[in-house]
Amino acid sequence: MNKGVLKMTRTLCGLVLLLSAFATSASDAPALNPSHPDRTTVVKGDTLWDISARFLRDPWRWPDIWKANPQVANPHLIYPGDVLVLTFNNGVPELHAERAGEGRGATVKLSPQVRSEPVARAIPTIPLNVIQPFLTRPRVVTQEEMEAAPYIVQSADEHLIAATGNRVYVRGIKDGEAAERYTVLRLGQAYRDPDASAEAKSKQQDILGYEAVYVADAVLQRSGDPATFVLDGSRQEAHNGDRLLPAITQGQEASFQPRAPGGDVRGRIISVIEGVSQVGQYQVVVLNLGQQQGMEAGHVLAAYQAGSEVRDLVSPDPKDTVRLPDEQAGLLMVFRPFERVSYALVMKATRPLRVGDKVQTP
């Protein structure tokens, strides 16, 4: 083959490979929000999810456009006053930050490891004030776990109920095993799997766990049998028989990297923490998906409102009905998975969500 032709052939092959790589990278890029800005200024009260939603159709895909830069200290932290600028690299969108006080040309690339940290003024990934009580207080328990837990046998003043500042006597804490702080809990509703078989339901094998209703915090004053505790921060009055479990010390440094779960995950909303009938943005729901199904903190799921059954008025059969298709109604993010259920925060709600609505991989 002529050397010139061979050289041209190699050049054309290289160009084809380059264009193919470009097309692949561009097609893999996350879809932009049609109304995205070219730049935006971070203000107090913003969250990383909110900002990502301004630029992306799927906010949890921000790691695909926020690139790591190891030369920048704490590149994953964004501060009020920072200006985020959208640019394109070979057709692939990227976000850069112009640091406040460093001039218009001073840009840094943002890290894909987005998380909240106790650093002054840095904006959080999601509104932590909404979920913080659910990280430290409410929990999901088994009936056996509650029956084995220490319990209030009597208040110091022989009242049937006790509140903040009252002393209570507690039995069931072994010598040398007493923690300094406990949470007083009461067994609440059973979380049941609506998709369980009829046989499982008849044997109560559909119970995924029980809600542990938060009553108060309790501080150890004197160990023994019974041990003496002082109630602190009561949400409701404590009763004789209420149970105590060691307090959870997880705090504001909770880390979240929103992402879609691997594989095809399907489940349902089985409860709403506040007990309302319709669920909106930033409300907490319980899912019948847990660690057994691979749920992790940060997993994002799409919620679907079940289609209603309506009569077909055109059909000659007056009893003819049709089930309308399910409609996507919002996005949820799991923030605290348990063994068989999870707490999730409603990040977006385009329709009212209800108990029984489906959730799945977006």
Side-chain angles (χ1 to χ4, degrees):
M1 181 180 294
N2 183 283
K3 289 184 178 181
V5 174
L6 180 61
K7 184 176 180 181
M8 181 178 296
T9 301
R10 288 175 176 173
T11 301
L12 289 173
C13 288
L15 181 59
V16 169
L17 290 174
L18 179 61
L19 290 174
S20 175
F22 170 77
T24 300
S25 61
S27 64
D28 291 341
L32 292 175
N33 183 335
S35 59
H36 70 82
D38 293 327
R39 57 198 300 123
T40 188
T41 301
V42 180
V43 299
K44 186 177 180 180
D46 277 342
T47 65
L48 292 171
W49 180 283
D50 294 335
I51 292 173
S52 297
R54 297 175 199 169
F55 290 96
L56 297 177
R57 185 189 63 191
D58 301 324
W60 68 89
R61 292 197 61 184
W62 66 55
D64 295 338
I65 64 172
W66 291 7
K67 308 301 180 182
N69 186 343
Q71 282 71 44
V72 178
N74 291 324
H76 52 276
L77 295 179
I78 311 299
Y79 297 87
D82 288 348
V83 178
L84 304 185
V85 183
L86 181 67
T87 62
F88 292 87
N89 182 8
N90 291 330
V92 179
E94 291 184 354
L95 271 182
H96 301 265
E98 292 180 353
R99 292 294 186 203
E102 295 184 2
R104 190 178 183 86
T107 62
V108 295
K109 289 186 177 181
L110 306 180
S111 166
Q113 185 60 32
V114 183
R115 59 190 176 212
S116 59
E117 291 189 3
V119 177
R121 296 180 60 245
I123 67 171
T125 307
I126 60 176
L128 285 175
N129 62 306
V130 176
I131 66 168
Q132 191 60 32
F134 300 95
L135 296 175
T136 58
R137 289 178 179 173
R139 62 181 83 184
V140 177
V141 295
T142 64
Q143 188 168 4
E144 294 75 17
E145 182 182 6
M146 287 290 275
E147 290 176 351
Y151 59 92
I152 297 175
V153 67
Q154 182 68 57
S155 72
D157 297 324
E158 298 185 358
H159 295 153
L160 295 178
I161 58 177
T164 299
N166 292 158
R167 291 183 302 138
V168 295
Y169 300 122
V170 175
R171 299 204 68 188
I173 298 179
K174 298 179 181 179
D175 292 340
E177 295 184 0
E180 182 179 352
R181 295 188 67 88
Y182 284 76
T183 302
V184 182
L185 301 167
R186 187 175 301 146
L187 196 66
Q189 66 170 314
Y191 292 134
R192 296 180 178 271
D193 186 357
D195 297 325
S197 66
E199 181 181 0
K201 291 179 180 178
S202 67
K203 297 178 180 179
Q204 293 195 334
Q205 295 174 347
D206 61 324
I207 297 178
L208 306 176
Y210 288 85
E211 175 189 15
V213 179
Y214 170 74
V215 175
D217 295 324
V219 181
L220 179 66
Q221 190 177 61
R222 183 177 61 245
S223 58
D225 184 22
T228 304
F229 284 83
V230 175
L231 298 183
D232 179 32
S234 299
R235 184 170 182 178
Q236 54 184 303
E237 295 171 326
H239 299 168
N240 294 344
D242 283 346
R243 302 286 173 162
L244 279 73
L245 291 175
I248 300 172
T249 58
Q250 184 176 3
Q252 289 284 340
E253 50 276 357
S255 174
F256 300 101
Q257 184 181 354
R259 63 203 183 278
D264 184 18
V265 176
R266 294 176 183 271
R268 291 183 185 270
I269 297 173
I270 59 174
S271 181
V272 183
I273 294 297
E274 297 299 330
V276 297
S277 59
Q278 295 188 349
V279 186
Q281 186 181 36
Y282 296 155
Q283 286 185 286
V284 176
V285 298
V286 183
L287 310 178
N288 65 337
L289 300 169
Q291 294 166 338
Q292 288 185 358
Q293 290 75 37
M295 288 292 96
E296 299 176 359
H299 276 169
V300 175
L301 298 167
Y304 285 82
Q305 190 180 77
S308 57
E309 188 172 359
V310 298
R311 284 185 55 196
D312 184 349
L313 300 178
V314 178
S315 173
D317 184 353
K319 296 182 179 180
D320 194 6
T321 62
V322 61
R323 173 72 65 179
L324 300 180
D326 298 340
E327 295 287 349
Q328 184 167 344
L331 291 172
L332 314 176
M333 194 196 80
V334 172
F335 66 87
R336 190 176 176 191
F338 298 91
E339 184 177 359
R340 302 179 70 188
V341 303
S342 295
Y343 289 157
L345 184 67
V346 178
M347 302 303 303
K348 178 183 179 181
T350 55
R351 298 166 177 259
L353 296 170
R354 298 178 178 85
V355 171
D357 283 349
K358 300 175 183 178
V359 297
Q360 65 184 59
T361 304

